[in-house]
Amino acid sequence: MARTKHGSREITYLSVTVPGYRGYACWEDARRSDCALSEEVLSSLSDTVAAVDRMMREGAESLDSAAAGDLAEIREKCEIMAKFLGDLSVSPSAIEEVQSRDQAGRLAGLDYLILEKAGHINQSLSAMELEEASGIPPEGPESVKELVDDLNDLLKERAGLVAA
């Protein structure tokens, strides 16, 4: 019962934060929720790529090679995740299985974590952009790279639940 309440709280938050998100109670809601979440995450990934491009362009002379390499890797991973997310299609049979195994709360929890992680990535990049005048610390892009890897793992876990 606690898991259901936890899932309900996440669905409520997501439905307020992500336009069109309705949870996974039925196939139509699942399809709409997947599309809405995908659009939100793709938009966030686009913002991430734009921030990285800006940082690389504006800090070209001051970036050390490690930070520049990390930023390029972040950009590449975001593009790969965007393609993965764009190619992913939700399967009615996978959603039926999620519903029959009472995993809608788990799926909503993953959606919440994905949205949260994407937001943390962009917040971290924004903070680094503000500090760029004093030089980007080498651990800055490295920590964002870890967040990007975490987001990728969450997206793959979610795909395992929603795709056939």
Side-chain angles (χ1 to χ4, degrees):
M1 179 139 158
R3 183 66 185 156
T4 304
K5 288 182 181 177
H6 186 62
S8 297
R9 186 174 56 238
E10 290 162 340
I11 290 171
T12 300
Y13 172 81
L14 289 163
S15 66
V16 169
T17 307
V18 179
Y21 191 94
R22 297 180 181 194
Y24 298 94
C26 66
W27 164 244
E28 189 61 30
D29 286 350
R31 189 185 63 72
R32 286 184 180 152
S33 294
D34 178 70
C35 287
L37 183 76
S38 293
E39 287 177 18
E40 193 72 27
V41 174
L42 286 170
S43 175
S44 185
L45 289 171
S46 177
D47 291 347
T48 301
V49 168
V52 166
D53 286 347
R54 220 176 16 258
M55 291 171 73
M56 290 176 73
R57 185 178 55 249
E58 293 172 3
E61 297 91 34
S62 63
L63 283 176
D64 68 15
S65 61
D70 285 344
L71 288 172
E73 191 174 335
I74 290 167
R75 184 184 202 291
E76 181 181 340
K77 286 179 179 186
C78 286
E79 289 175 345
I80 291 169
M81 282 189 290
K83 179 166 178 18
F84 174 77
L85 196 56
D87 291 346
L88 182 68
S89 64
V90 175
S91 161
S93 61
I95 294 302
E96 271 183 35
E97 187 172 332
V98 163
Q99 292 166 340
S100 71
R101 295 173 72 195
D102 201 26
Q103 292 185 319
R106 177 177 172 217
L107 187 51
L110 281 172
D111 291 351
Y112 176 83
L113 291 173
I114 287 167
L115 196 62
E116 182 180 57
K117 193 68 68 173
H120 285 186
I121 290 167
N122 286 326
Q123 287 173 349
S124 297
L125 286 172
S126 292
M128 284 184 353
E129 278 188 287
L130 291 173
E131 296 170 357
E132 194 169 7
S134 60
I136 296 175
E139 67 278 357
E142 181 65 33
S143 66
V144 174
K145 226 170 58 170
E146 290 174 16
L147 292 172
V148 169
D149 289 340
D150 292 346
L151 177 59
N152 189 42
D153 292 344
L154 290 169
L155 288 171
K156 286 180 181 177
E157 183 178 348
R158 182 181 184 279
L161 289 174
V162 300

